[in-house]
Amino acid sequence: AAVEESGNVVVTGPPGSGKSVLCQKLACRWVESDRGPVYLAPSGATRGLADFVRDLDGGDGRALVVAEDAASEEFLRVAAEARGDPDVLAVGEARAGRWEATAREATDAALIDAAERVAEYRPPPVDVAASGLSTRSRRRPAGNRGSPPRSCSRRSATATG
């Protein structure tokens, strides 16, 4: 609910900081609570995502669009499209520094405006040693990219691309 109130969001942080896990948990909760469909755009598959967002009709509830690589002009276009559409919420993830560079390098007025209006969230650091997790447990199998977590089987999430 807090994400919905803040509008479009980009989760930033260094590699291994939990950006992907956080976005997957958000997608899972979205599906489990029947808020609407979830569309996942894996890294490298955001081309044309803004056009896709523009064509969503909201008939199935508010759509959550999750982009693995938000450090791109295409994600800024998605944020610009979603900003004026109450039926779409855009969430992306980006490595620390890459999001800021993308926002700073935008030249189109609509993209600059979108970058300024996207809320940035940096998850708190995780003490892996204290949590009992190993660094190996954080890796995802290569075949799992863009797929919703298995616990999200109540309603299907769609991988775009």
Side-chain angles (χ1 to χ4, degrees), residues 13-107:
S17 63
K19 301 178 303 290
S20 296
V21 171
L22 183 64
C23 287
Q24 287 176 355
K25 284 184 178 187
L26 173 63
C28 188
R29 288 191 178 142
W30 195 272
V31 168
E32 290 170 347
S33 65
D34 281 332
R35 284 191 174 109
V38 172
Y39 301 95
L40 303 173
S43 183
T46 58
R47 179 183 221 147
L49 191 58
D51 293 332
F52 174 77
V53 167
R54 187 178 310 115
D55 294 338
L56 289 174
D57 66 7
D60 294 325
R62 189 170 191 194
L64 175 66
V65 178
V66 181
E68 271 191 6
D69 187 8
S72 67
E73 279 196 10
E74 188 64 17
F75 183 76
L76 290 177
R77 286 185 189 87
V78 168
E81 288 293 331
R83 182 174 160 257
D85 189 341
D87 295 326
V88 180
L89 177 65
V91 175
E93 61 174 277
R95 287 191 177 166
R98 289 193 62 215
W99 167 252
E100 292 86 353
T102 299
R104 188 176 50 250
E105 293 168 5
T107 56

